[in-house]
Amino acid sequence: NDKRGVKMEKEMINQLIDTAIYQLKYSYTPYSNFKVGAALLAKNGQVYTGCNIENAGYTATNCAERTAFFKAVYEGERNFKAIAIMGGPETVKGPDCDICAPCGICRQVMMEFCDPETFQIILAVSKDKYDVFTLRELFPLGFGPADLA
Ligand code: THU
């Protein structure tokens, strides 16, 4: 349990981080060499994965988080509980991860499909070194579907 009373078992967090780490090898980053992996947990327990995919036209780059969200939504999922994110520069030893916080565009995409008060964003450095935030904490006053209702 985290401080906000949303049940998130440590075992589940570790599993999501592990899955995010595994995605780093799919990361396509010829321009930045900055590898990011994500593991998105749906409320039904299904996990959707993502990596960042860069492009010669830099703005066409897709972040790991959005890859995971778009894969999930494409497959019919719209209810999400948490996402684990892991990222850092590629070195000779492999990716050297530090906390990698989602970019503004990814936070906006999360806002579309997640309850900002309960959606958990796990920023991992390693399997047992991580921080957990709600979407609201990372995206205060975010604009979302409720604003158009
Ligand atoms: N990136 C992500 O995939 N997720 C983040 O949370 C931050 C940044 C990617 C985009 C680009 O491929 C590389 O990291 C450097 O910005």
Side-chain angles (χ1 to χ4, degrees), residues 27-29 32-37 51-54 61-66 85 100-103 106:
S27 171
Y28 175 73
T29 58
S32 75
N33 265 332
F34 192 95
K35 307 264 170 201
V36 187
C51 65
N52 53 333
I53 305 169
E54 297 190 341
T61 291
N62 209 60
C63 291
E65 298 90 325
R66 268 176 293 145
I85 306 162
C100 174
C103 81
C106 288

